[in-house]
Amino acid sequence: MTLRRVNVVILVLLAVAFLIIVQRNLLNLSDFLHKENPDAGVILPFEAEFSPDIRLQTLRKGEEIPVLITAAEERLGAVIAAMNSIYQNSKANVVFTIVTLNDTVDHLKVWLSNTKLKNVKYKIVIFKPELLNGKISKDPQMLEVAKPLTFARFYLPAYIPEAEKAIYLDDDIIIQGDIQELYETNLKPGHAAAFSDDCDSASAKGIVRGAGNQNNYIGFLDFKKVAIKKLGMRANTCSFNPGVIIANLTEWRNQNITGRLEHWMELNMQEDLYSKTLAESITTPPLLIVFYKRHSTIDPMWHVRHLGNTGAGNRYSPQFVKAAKLLHWNGHYKPWGRASSFSDVWDKWFIPDPTGKFHPVRRHTGDN
């Protein structure tokens, strides 16, 4: 009996040990899967949803390329066209972070899940407008230029916390090259971002010169104000366009870029530092200050601009537009509207809205 009892105890102990080993292996497997798919089950403080098939994507391998783009309800077709042009023109492992507001989420998810973009990797992040309290004016006349989503680029590290480098894109763009090349833009040591200078050769002929001198700092900032004078910046310094940003997020965090941008937003609320001749952008001036002579440059063909300015886009030849790797319809005239230049290029990448809520306005059809 004694020997039998000993054998039973040994067997019980062996069984317990076996169960412990199995449990540990399962936990290790769970940890491994979480590392392989860190997006699964993550709850972010700013609310986020992930594409339903993100864990099934194995076709596009290699380093993830984080791309942040904003999605306003009235411009949702722009986001879809931009994403489609990126996805179709590259085999890179792109993961989109789409920053939007609550009322757009359902529409966006239907559009993505019921079209050829259903296999795109993405996460949807809800922007919190209260972030901007005390930083931008609530004057009704400023609502058009002070739309909350235009400031999402200020918070890149918060929305893509796992990345060391990322791309920010405005929604009114089309990419005709491989975004891997843009992602590999070299940033100089100590630089948190790269932009396209407004004096670069590729887009200079599209710049609308005149009121505001929109290709230099004096077009955006009031150099009569003491706070601006103290910075010692040259008024004729070439400005840059923040519609495309290559960001070193590690440097961005280390240099507290977000906090510094917010500081200048708050100071502008008190002292009105922006140029009165421009009256179009309250997003660009803080960036110009913080990144004054502290940014790298993007290849001009990776940001061909001004296609949305009156007559400016028409200065480009069709051959030049075809060769451009990234087209940007910055300005009043958008490619989904009646009066835009080269809207046919944009049309190639637009995917019709399965809900029927959004469709381009075309002069020849009379659609609206």
Side-chain angles (χ1 to χ4, degrees):
M1 285 294 292
T2 302
L3 181 60
R4 183 176 298 175
R5 286 178 181 175
V6 169
N7 288 337
V8 170
V9 170
I10 292 173
L11 287 173
V12 169
L13 291 174
L14 286 173
V16 170
F18 175 76
L19 291 173
I20 290 173
I21 292 171
V22 169
Q23 182 184 31
R24 285 180 178 175
N25 284 338
L26 288 173
L27 287 173
N28 289 336
L29 178 61
S30 176
D31 288 342
F32 172 76
L33 290 174
H34 180 72
K35 289 175 183 175
E36 290 295 303
N37 299 283
D39 298 329
V42 175
I43 299 176
L44 301 174
F46 38 75
E47 298 181 25
E49 293 191 38
F50 297 88
S51 49
D53 296 326
I54 195 167
R55 284 167 284 182
L56 304 178
Q57 297 305 305
T58 57
L59 296 178
R60 296 179 180 234
K61 297 185 178 180
E63 180 185 5
E64 284 189 353
I65 297 181
V67 175
L68 185 143
I69 191 166
T70 60
E73 178 65 28
E74 69 275 13
R75 297 163 64 110
L76 207 48
V79 179
I80 295 297
M83 290 177 63
N84 189 38
S85 71
I86 293 167
Y87 190 69
Q88 301 298 335
N89 283 313
S90 176
K91 293 299 181 184
N93 186 15
V94 178
V95 179
F96 293 97
T97 295
I98 310 169
V99 183
T100 189
L101 301 174
N102 276 313
D103 59 1
T104 304
V105 173
D106 290 341
H107 188 186
L108 175 61
K109 288 168 67 177
V110 168
W111 207 331
L112 290 172
S113 61
N114 289 280
T115 65
K116 65 177 72 174
L117 294 180
K118 62 185 177 182
N119 291 323
V120 166
K121 293 182 182 180
Y122 68 88
K123 66 179 179 183
I124 297 174
V125 175
I126 308 301
F127 187 85
K128 301 292 188 181
E130 52 266 30
L131 277 173
L132 305 177
N133 289 346
K135 301 180 183 72
I136 61 172
S137 172
K138 294 185 178 181
D139 182 342
Q141 294 182 340
M142 295 295 292
L143 289 180
E144 184 61 30
V145 294
K147 290 183 177 179
L149 291 176
T150 63
F151 296 95
R153 72 197 87 186
F154 288 12
Y155 300 93
L156 285 171
Y159 294 138
I160 315 178
E162 70 283 359
E164 295 183 2
K165 188 177 183 182
I167 298 173
Y168 165 84
L169 298 172
D170 276 355
D171 59 2
D172 52 352
I173 65 100
I174 289 294
I175 285 188
Q176 301 183 130
D178 187 339
I179 199 169
Q180 181 81 42
E181 183 181 334
L182 179 62
Y183 183 71
E184 292 172 356
T185 296
N186 183 50
L187 274 69
K188 294 179 181 178
H191 285 184
F195 304 93
S196 297
D197 286 334
D198 280 328
C199 303
D200 68 45
S201 58
S203 290
K205 67 178 180 178
I207 291 175
V208 180
R209 302 181 187 277
N213 295 315
Q214 295 181 35
N215 63 330
N216 57 36
Y217 269 52
I218 201 171
F220 294 87
L221 296 165
D222 187 347
F223 278 79
K224 295 178 182 178
K225 296 297 174 68
V226 174
I228 300 299
K229 284 183 179 180
K230 285 182 177 179
L231 293 172
M233 301 185 301
R234 293 177 63 88
N236 64 351
T237 299
C238 185
S239 56
F240 55 77
N241 185 296
V244 177
I245 305 173
I246 314 300
N248 179 329
L249 298 181
T250 301
E251 284 291 345
W252 195 293
R253 296 183 189 98
N254 291 341
Q255 297 179 31
N256 190 25
I257 297 296
T258 297
R260 291 159 64 190
L261 292 168
E262 290 182 325
H263 165 75
W264 285 103
M265 292 167 69
E266 292 167 358
L267 197 60
N268 177 64
M269 287 281 290
Q270 302 167 21
E271 302 183 23
D272 201 12
L273 303 175
Y274 303 162
S275 173
K276 295 300 183 184
T277 59
L278 190 58
E280 276 189 20
S281 175
I282 62 172
T283 310
T284 302
L287 290 162
L288 292 177
I289 294 172
V290 171
F291 287 103
Y292 178 72
K293 294 190 175 180
R294 290 279 296 172
H295 67 276
S296 299
T297 56
I298 294 172
D299 179 342
M301 294 303 284
W302 267 107
H303 195 180
V304 172
R305 307 180 290 292
H306 311 296
L307 274 74
N309 286 323
T310 308
N314 292 326
R315 300 178 193 179
Y316 299 128
S317 69
Q319 294 79 12
F320 177 74
V321 168
K322 185 176 181 180
K325 296 179 179 180
L326 184 150
L327 298 168
H328 187 185
W329 279 264
N330 59 309
H332 290 295
Y333 300 97
K334 302 304 180 185
W336 54 89
R338 282 195 176 91
S340 166
S341 303
F342 297 104
S343 58
D344 57 318
V345 176
W346 184 87
D347 285 343
K348 289 193 300 185
W349 304 106
F350 175 68
I351 301 173
D353 182 359
T355 72
K357 295 178 183 177
F358 180 101
H359 49 97
V361 178
R362 290 294 176 255
R363 194 166 16 203
H364 58 279
T365 62
D367 292 342
N368 51 58

